[in-house]
Amino acid sequence: MTQLVFACIAPHGSEILEELSGGNLSLMARTRASMVELGRRMTSAAPDVLVVLTPHGTRAEGQFAVANPERVRGEVQDHGGTVTLERRVDRALAQRIAAEAATDGVPVALLNYATSEGPLSVMPLDWGALIPLWFMPDVPVVVINPPRGMDFAGHVQFGRALARAASAAGRRVGLIASADWSHTHAASGPYGFHPTAAQVDATVEAYVRAGDLEALATLSADLVKSAKPDGLWQVLVLAGALPPTERQVELLSYEAPTYFGLLCAAVTPTCV
């Protein structure tokens, strides 16, 4: 029986937070409402720990980077607003996840900073983790940054190792795949406009709506390069952690109000 009690696909655009919206609450209103609902469902599932898969954390090239300090702390600023968040790290679970992945031959690095333990053992909490966590229960976390260059099969395998680690630890685990989608929806954005952005996001939305998360691995390298989604890797880890026979996927919303796509989905284990 899985110890994964709830999972979700959650975006991390800064304006989702009212404090960083510059007063323009209508800009990402649909997404904000969905994030509140995901937070409500996660709280109802009563996890002991949250595992956050982020594309923007500290990276170890070619390896899954598992943060292993005492605490993580971060700050995000936008539109004149600032938010800060700090969480204790469940180091025992972080180490167990890394050990299980290594057993499967998946490259993994345990990361720390400054001191091995104590008050100076703190790593940065990036916006890809902080913004989804803003809506979630205040419990310890494990923050993981999947690598971009690895074959997609390695991400699914890492997800399987993560699920085994959760079961072995006997911890009720909530899993967050922090994911924004195509970043080339608007010429005014930092990556410019490309017509494949709408194509890729429509395909992603269809796969998620169908519950077929594994199908994301079939997106071609050319499409990924031109549309620039940053969610594939995290969601494929989620797919490995909760395989098709053990999950129910519900797409709550999709919108692209600026230059990148935002999608919220609840992934409920069927055999908790």
Side-chain angles (χ1 to χ4, degrees):
M1 181 176 294
T2 183
Q3 289 293 313
L4 294 171
V5 295
F6 184 70
C8 60
I9 303 169
H12 49 258
S14 59
E15 293 97 335
I16 298 170
L17 302 189
E18 291 188 15
E19 296 84 349
L20 303 180
S21 67
N24 186 3
L25 296 181
S26 64
L27 180 66
M28 296 183 181
R30 290 184 62 203
T31 297
R32 189 177 304 114
S34 294
M35 293 290 278
V36 170
E37 175 61 15
L38 289 176
R40 185 194 68 78
R41 296 190 193 191
M42 185 71 83
T43 299
S44 179
D48 300 314
V49 57
L50 296 172
V51 176
V52 189
L53 306 162
T54 173
H56 299 305
T58 303
R59 300 186 181 188
E61 195 66 31
Q63 301 177 79
F64 284 86
V66 180
N68 183 42
E70 292 275 356
R71 291 168 294 128
V72 288
R73 180 193 303 137
E75 176 180 288
V76 181
Q77 299 180 346
D78 206 356
H79 298 291
T82 302
V83 297
T84 59
L85 192 70
E86 182 172 328
R87 289 287 184 268
R88 185 167 60 84
V89 174
D90 188 327
R91 301 185 76 181
L93 181 60
Q95 293 163 17
R96 191 178 287 269
I97 291 170
E100 288 287 347
T103 296
D104 287 351
V106 178
V108 60
L110 273 172
L111 306 178
N112 201 342
Y113 177 76
T115 59
S116 59
E117 58 186 21
L120 297 179
S121 175
V122 182
M123 287 183 64
L125 186 66
D126 69 280
W127 70 98
L130 186 155
I131 289 169
L133 283 173
W134 194 259
F135 296 88
M136 300 296 163
D138 184 0
V139 296
V141 301
V142 175
V143 179
I144 301 171
N145 181 225
R148 295 290 180 96
M150 183 183 295
D151 184 270
F152 286 145
H155 293 77
V156 175
Q157 184 61 53
F158 184 87
R160 293 176 184 143
L162 190 160
R164 291 200 314 269
S167 295
R171 308 280 278 147
R172 294 175 60 83
V173 175
L175 181 59
I176 303 167
S178 179
D180 289 342
W181 296 93
S182 296
H183 283 62
T184 55
H185 282 281
S188 58
Y191 307 104
F193 172 78
H194 201 285
T196 56
Q199 176 188 350
V200 167
D201 280 11
T203 300
V204 169
E205 184 178 358
Y207 287 154
V208 172
R209 196 178 295 278
D212 189 2
L213 305 183
E214 289 77 8
L216 294 171
T218 65
L219 287 170
S220 73
D222 287 343
L223 281 176
V224 172
K225 182 178 180 180
S226 60
K228 294 181 169 43
D230 72 9
L232 298 174
W233 301 267
Q234 298 81 254
V235 176
L236 287 169
V237 172
L238 190 160
L242 281 173
T245 57
E246 298 179 15
R247 68 177 182 242
Q248 179 177 344
V249 181
E250 179 186 358
L251 189 144
L252 301 185
S253 64
Y254 170 81
E255 61 178 340
T258 61
Y259 66 91
F260 56 96
L262 306 166
L263 182 150
C264 295
V267 185
T268 306
T270 57
C271 54
V272 175

